[in-house]
Amino acid sequence: MAPIPGSGLAKGLAVTLRTMTKKSVTAQYPDTQPDLPPRTRGVIGLFEENCTVCMLCARECPDWCIYIDSHKETVPAATPGGRERSRNVLDRFAIDFSLCMYCGICIEVCPFDALFWSPEFEYAETDIRELTHERDKLREWMWTVPAPPALDPGAEEPKELATARKTADKLAAQQAPPATEPHADEQARAAEQPTRPQGDSKQQTDQPKPDQTTPGHQTPDRPKPGQEGSE
């Protein structure tokens, strides 16, 4: 069926009329802060303690706006005769937000959860060079990162929390005192006492055997060899 001539114009005017009858609401920014979604991509925060200088974020960044410098340090052996190890120490971690396109690839590829999104967006500068945030500035953004949303009812516990809880329970069990164990002296005293045969009472073990000669007890005379036939 062919469209009616002028139907598109009528629909457009209807939308205009509906909009004209509604009361306009002006957001009073900056006096009133906007309600941002929980996953807003404002600025990137750095949790420096988790960074291992693996360079994954810098290599995967499509804009090459992440700059990382580090050096290696030798860690002495923890046990005598052990082998010395080397570890990377972070010297510089900077992000140039004048080049960043907020794709979030660096946060997704970080294997140690060192980068996080913060909803803060008020960091405009008059000098473009001030948009390069060093690690001290990135650490300040870390304290504005919102807490993760709660899990759905019936969802499984995260593996990180389960592993941490098991480790804490194991350490608590090792540090707890042993439950009602006999003293070492009592154990040694019990080991020194002779064990009696099962089923024999104390009176039975203390009585002399019939072959033993005691005062007041006479054993019957046994016939000597060769006298049995004479009797």
Side-chain angles (χ1 to χ4, degrees):
M1 181 178 178
I4 301 175
S7 59
L9 179 60
K11 291 181 181 179
L13 291 175
V15 174
T16 302
L17 292 174
R18 285 197 303 268
T19 305
M20 290 175 61
T21 57
K22 292 182 180 179
K23 182 180 180 181
S24 61
V25 178
T26 303
Q28 302 298 327
Y29 177 83
D31 297 332
T32 302
Q33 294 292 329
D35 295 331
L36 301 175
R39 299 179 64 181
T40 298
R41 298 184 178 186
V43 69
I44 298 174
L46 171 66
F47 192 61
E48 186 176 339
E49 286 75 5
N50 287 356
C51 182
T52 60
V53 200
C54 63
M55 304 294 291
L56 277 177
C57 55
R59 288 198 298 262
E60 297 295 333
C61 178
D63 294 332
W64 294 88
C65 62
I66 300 177
Y67 313 111
I68 300 176
D69 293 332
S70 65
H71 69 278
K72 288 188 176 182
E73 287 185 356
T74 302
V75 180
T79 58
R83 182 172 61 88
E84 295 182 349
R85 299 181 180 274
S86 61
R87 65 185 182 93
N88 293 324
V89 179
L90 184 66
D91 293 332
R92 184 194 183 198
F93 195 108
I95 299 179
D96 188 356
F97 287 101
S98 64
L99 298 177
C100 179
M101 64 179 185
Y102 303 91
C103 62
I105 293 178
C106 57
I107 298 176
E108 294 177 2
V109 301
C110 180
F112 301 104
D113 292 336
L115 298 174
F116 297 87
W117 277 118
S118 169
E120 297 293 328
F121 61 93
E122 298 175 324
Y123 52 93
E125 300 289 347
T126 56
D127 190 351
I128 193 173
R129 291 172 294 184
E130 298 296 331
L131 287 176
T132 301
H133 294 184
E134 299 292 336
R135 65 176 184 175
D136 295 337
K137 185 65 175 180
L138 296 176
R139 186 177 182 86
E140 294 179 5
W141 293 125
M142 186 62 204
W143 311 129
T144 62
V145 174
L151 298 176
D152 295 335
E156 296 182 359
E157 186 181 26
K159 295 181 180 179
E160 296 81 3
L161 295 180
T163 304
R165 183 172 288 105
K166 289 181 180 179
T167 304
D169 295 342
K170 186 181 296 184
L171 292 176
Q174 293 177 356
Q175 295 176 359
T180 64
E181 290 186 357
H183 197 267
D185 298 339
E186 297 180 1
Q187 294 180 354
R189 194 179 302 112
E192 293 176 358
Q193 294 180 357
T195 58
R196 298 188 178 93
Q198 296 181 358
D200 294 342
S201 62
K202 183 178 180 181
Q203 296 178 359
Q204 293 175 350
T205 56
D206 294 342
Q207 292 180 359
K209 295 182 180 179
D211 295 341
Q212 296 177 352
T213 302
T214 57
H217 178 76
Q218 296 180 358
T219 57
D221 296 336
R222 297 181 180 179
K224 297 180 179 180
Q227 296 181 356
E228 295 177 359
S230 60
E231 295 179 1

